[in-house]
Amino acid sequence: MPATPASSFGLPNNGFVPVATISPVSTVADPAHNAELCYEGLQRAAKLGAKVVAFPEVVLTSYIADDLLYHSILLESAERELGRLVERTADLDVLFSVGVPLCINGKIYNTVAVCHRGRILGVVPKTFIPTYGVDFEGRWFHSGPAEVTDITVAGQDHVPFGSHQVFRCRQLPQLCVGYEICEDIWSPEPPSIRLALAGATVICNGSASNASLEKDLYRRGMISGQSARLLCCYAYCSSGQGDSTSDVTVGGQEIIAENGSVLAQAPPFGEGFAIADVDVESLWGARRGMSSFTVAANPEAAGYHETVFDMDFPEHPLLRPVSAQPFVPGDARVRDDCCDLALTMQAHGMLAFLHNRGASAITVLAEDTAVANAALAVRAFGSKYSDRELLTWMRTFYGWFFATQFMRHDLPDGPRIGSAGLDLRDGFMMPTYAQGALWLDEVDALLARIGE
């Protein structure tokens, strides 16, 4: 099919937004060099189609600048290089966040500067400042305010500063980005919770988390879990190997998760780069379907400042894994466990059915439908199909789907097995006599594009 085309109903790229995370190997107290690494990373990500890019916390100075942060020469250099980086990327249609320590009214804050097309759209400070274990941030950094006020940064006036900020795309309102920094996600009440309830569908976290045995697994579970809980994309990146010391090792880690699924990742001491298409439209859909997910009418009603930016979405190859068997786990061990559980659930469901009807015996009827099922399986899960074949079968599916809804009323009772089902008790409330013209027209429009 055409690569993520604009929908015939006007939704850019059908709601897919490429999100990237980058962990440069920064150098301590060398903002010019680190800014150059960020520039190179942005160029790479932009060539791959990225529209949202996140860098680690305080990447312009490195996380281990320690007491050098007391020196104005380092802070001023970092702010100056931020300005140069923003100027040099004015031609890139990419919303990016870069970690930078900023001195504001005499206090130092651990912040991310959110930038787009030559402008600093906002500065978001870290809320929770860790001063335990291997972290001593409270020695240098002050917890950032929630309330948003204007400051001057890198020569740009009236830049919003505060943690209660979201950034929304005018052309694709489903793309609403919020930010938290490292320790924030580890806290009992991460800022990302309220960001999501203010409307953010993409949460970016620039971090500087040290490496230790199994910590990468814990982080991955935490990030994927947060993306599921908040029905969002959570894009996480930790600082690269340049932030290692003689007693603490840092190796970077990239995780891009969407509603509980990890779309892309790079392990510690790996490439330090990850990119994936995030389906922000499906995230809106998931929130619409969950009555307990209460989002404010707008960010302002939730106490958040909203900055709107303009962005184009050219066509690009889809950058995310797509399984031909979405309801079948790819991992053999997990698949076996799921099959065992499904069989047990069905057996207990049948047991309850028999018990409540006082049955003492059952009769099993068997029918040989293997040939037909095999033919469908080959068609559905073959390795290669033309665009026209895929769309033609999609059209056939929509036609059958809408035409046969009345048959659902003939389905026997049965327990819910997976995350999708066709039973009313399963949450599936498809109208029996709905018309499929809108969906069929959509497929016809795509078929017409192929014929052009």
Side-chain angles (χ1 to χ4, degrees):
M1 281 180 281
T4 56
S7 165
S8 59
F9 295 104
L11 189 66
N13 283 329
N14 287 318
F16 289 105
V17 178
V19 175
T21 57
I22 306 174
S23 296
V25 182
S26 56
T27 300
V28 182
D30 192 350
H33 173 73
N34 298 334
E36 182 64 27
L37 294 179
C38 291
Y39 176 77
E40 293 171 358
L42 282 168
Q43 293 291 336
R44 175 188 178 186
K47 288 179 180 178
L48 293 174
K51 287 298 178 181
V52 178
V53 175
F55 288 98
E57 66 176 321
V58 291
V59 65
L60 291 186
T61 58
S62 120
Y63 184 75
I64 55 174
D66 294 348
D67 281 359
L68 292 179
L69 291 170
Y70 289 137
H71 291 241
S72 296
I73 189 172
L74 179 59
L75 296 175
E76 292 169 359
S77 175
E79 187 171 346
R80 184 169 57 252
E81 292 303 326
L82 169 64
R84 290 187 64 245
L85 178 63
V86 172
E87 290 177 1
R88 296 177 66 192
T89 56
D91 61 332
L92 295 182
D93 193 14
V94 177
L95 182 77
F96 69 92
S97 55
V98 58
V100 56
L102 289 177
C103 183
I104 300 172
N105 201 25
K107 299 297 289 187
I108 305 174
Y109 296 91
N110 183 339
T111 77
V112 292
V114 183
C115 314
H116 179 251
R117 283 197 173 278
R119 293 176 54 213
I120 302 175
L121 301 185
V123 173
V124 179
K126 190 172 185 174
T127 299
F128 295 95
I129 306 300
T131 306
Y132 65 90
V134 299
D135 296 309
F136 304 93
E137 287 188 37
R139 180 178 175 90
W140 311 288
F141 295 121
H142 192 63
S143 176
E147 183 179 358
V148 177
T149 56
D150 286 349
I151 61 173
T152 297
V153 180
Q156 297 195 19
D157 298 326
H158 306 295
V159 176
F161 169 68
S163 62
H164 281 196
Q165 294 192 67
V166 293
F167 304 82
R168 190 184 301 274
C169 176
R170 191 190 315 275
Q171 290 72 22
L172 185 61
Q174 294 90 334
L175 174 58
C176 184
V177 188
Y179 295 87
E180 61 185 7
I181 303 174
C182 196
E183 182 71 14
D184 290 343
I185 181 62
W186 298 82
S187 70
E189 190 177 358
S192 51
I193 296 176
R194 295 190 179 276
L195 284 167
L197 296 180
T201 53
V202 176
I203 306 294
C204 294
N205 184 322
S207 179
S209 186
N210 65 294
S212 63
L213 295 179
E214 297 188 350
K215 189 175 183 179
D216 59 323
L217 301 178
Y218 186 94
R219 275 192 296 250
R220 187 166 65 228
M222 179 174 62
I223 298 304
S224 62
Q226 190 74 341
S227 75
R229 185 176 304 108
L230 302 182
L231 299 177
C232 73
C233 162
Y234 202 106
Y236 173 91
C237 61
S238 185
S239 56
Q241 299 177 42
D243 279 359
S244 295
T245 66
S246 58
D247 54 355
V248 177
T249 302
V250 178
Q253 186 174 7
E254 321 297 313
I255 305 169
I256 302 175
E258 176 193 285
N259 196 7
S261 298
V262 176
L263 301 180
Q265 59 183 320
F269 309 102
E271 184 182 4
F273 183 93
I275 185 171
D277 263 312
V278 174
D279 190 353
V280 293
E281 167 63 13
S282 76
L283 294 173
W284 258 24
R287 291 179 177 185
R288 284 194 296 266
M290 181 176 286
S291 59
S292 59
F293 197 98
T294 305
V295 180
N298 55 53
E300 184 179 359
Y304 281 73
H305 179 276
E306 181 181 73
T307 298
V308 178
F309 60 94
D310 295 292
M311 180 173 282
D312 295 325
F313 293 89
E315 296 183 5
H316 66 277
L318 189 62
L319 300 169
R320 64 183 280 140
V322 179
S323 173
Q325 298 172 305
F327 302 112
V328 180
D331 182 90
R333 182 184 59 81
V334 175
R335 182 169 60 248
D336 290 344
D337 290 344
C338 287
C339 289
D340 288 343
L341 180 59
L343 181 61
T344 301
M345 292 169 66
Q346 289 284 12
H348 280 265
M350 178 60 72
L351 182 62
F353 175 85
L354 296 174
H355 175 76
N356 289 316
R357 283 159 179 76
S360 59
I362 60 173
T363 301
V364 179
L365 299 177
E367 182 178 351
D368 186 5
T369 58
V371 175
N373 288 340
L376 288 175
V378 170
R379 172 63 73 174
F381 303 114
S383 59
K384 292 184 180 179
Y385 297 102
S386 69
D387 294 344
R388 182 165 295 279
E389 283 179 303
L390 290 171
L391 288 170
T392 299
W393 275 98
M394 184 182 293
R395 197 185 196 289
T396 300
F397 165 77
Y398 279 133
W400 288 349
F401 183 74
F402 279 92
T404 59
Q405 284 305 307
F406 70 92
M407 297 178 64
R408 289 192 301 114
H409 298 289
D410 297 327
L411 291 175
D413 288 346
R416 178 174 182 167
I417 298 299
S419 59
L422 297 179
D423 192 279
L424 178 62
R425 294 166 301 175
D426 221 15
F428 185 76
M429 301 182 68
M430 177 71 183
T432 301
Y433 302 112
Q435 301 301 307
L438 289 174
W439 292 264
L440 293 170
D441 289 347
E442 178 90 358
V443 177
D444 288 340
L446 290 172
L447 281 167
R449 290 188 60 177
I450 290 178
E452 294 175 357

